[in-house]
Amino acid sequence: SQSPVFKAMFEGDSKENKEGRVDIVDCTPEAVEEFLYFLYFAMLRPARFTSADLEQMLGLLHLTSKYQVEVLMTSCLDVIMDIMDLDNVLQILVVLDKYDVQSCAVKMVSDFMKENIVEIVNKEDWGEFVVNYPSLVKDFILFMNGERVNAKDDLKTEKESNR
């Protein structure tokens, strides 16, 4: 099994093992369907995902985390990074934080935010984001400061090597 959680459910004396089924009620049917497709075929459906599919991908990320299907995590993150835009970047950041996702994905989101900061802070949902997720705002500001410090150190090193 690709999921240690499912494996434990079906090996033990559990309701799922006795009934031969797992009820997944905390996600959309589309996300569950995509999750099952991955479990059977070890790949996402060959489809072109768009920002309209974000909810499905976030649901799939939830299932991936809940049922510990680590191999699916990378595929989910790849799709989410591909469909990230100005309208959904804050939502993506919140979800990545919730599931404590790989730092490279968070860095990609932070880089995107840095490149588009003027547009992002002028969007309607920015104020709500600042109020509801102050720790994420703080982390982003510290990321920006770290980038500035690194650039400053690089300049200093370059000047010293040119002497």
Side-chain angles (χ1 to χ4, degrees):
S1 174
Q2 294 188 48
S3 166
V5 175
F6 283 146
K7 185 177 181 183
M9 284 179 179
F10 288 111
E11 285 181 350
D13 186 33
S14 68
K15 171 186 161 201
E16 291 83 6
N17 195 15
K18 289 175 186 167
E19 295 178 3
R21 68 181 218 184
V22 175
D23 291 322
I24 301 175
V25 296
D26 57 345
C27 218
T28 65
E30 296 81 13
V32 172
E33 191 175 309
E34 193 65 42
F35 183 67
L36 292 174
Y37 186 91
F38 185 89
L39 292 178
Y40 282 104
F41 301 107
M43 61 185 256
L44 294 175
R45 290 175 201 266
R48 173 84 176 109
F49 293 100
T50 67
S51 59
D53 300 308
L54 181 63
E55 289 303 319
Q56 178 183 344
M57 286 289 97
L58 296 179
L60 192 54
L61 189 67
H62 166 72
L63 294 172
T64 298
S65 177
K66 180 178 181 177
Y67 295 106
Q68 300 173 9
V69 183
E70 296 301 322
V71 294
L72 179 52
M73 182 67 73
T74 301
S75 296
C76 285
L77 291 174
D78 286 345
V79 171
I80 290 169
M81 293 301 108
D82 285 346
I83 62 179
M84 180 172 53
D85 61 27
L86 292 172
D87 294 325
N88 62 27
V89 66
L90 297 177
Q91 181 183 7
I92 290 171
L93 183 60
V94 168
V95 170
L96 294 183
D97 182 65
K98 177 180 179 180
Y99 295 113
D100 196 25
V101 172
Q102 307 162 2
S103 62
C104 63
V106 173
K107 184 176 180 336
M108 288 176 68
V109 172
S110 296
D111 285 341
F112 180 88
M113 288 177 63
K114 183 177 76 171
E115 292 168 12
N116 298 284
I117 193 64
V118 173
E119 292 91 346
I120 291 169
V121 298
N122 286 315
K123 293 197 75 55
E124 195 173 300
D125 57 349
W126 175 254
E128 184 179 321
F129 176 77
V130 170
V131 169
N132 293 330
Y133 303 100
S135 66
L136 291 178
V137 175
K138 179 184 119 189
D139 290 347
F140 178 66
I141 290 169
L142 292 174
F143 167 79
M144 297 276 287
N145 184 58
E147 293 278 304
R148 185 187 62 76
V149 168
N150 290 341
K152 195 174 176 181
D153 289 345
D154 289 347
L155 271 174
K156 184 179 176 183
T157 304
E158 187 178 314
K159 282 181 184 179
E160 288 172 357
S161 67
N162 287 336
R163 289 184 187 169

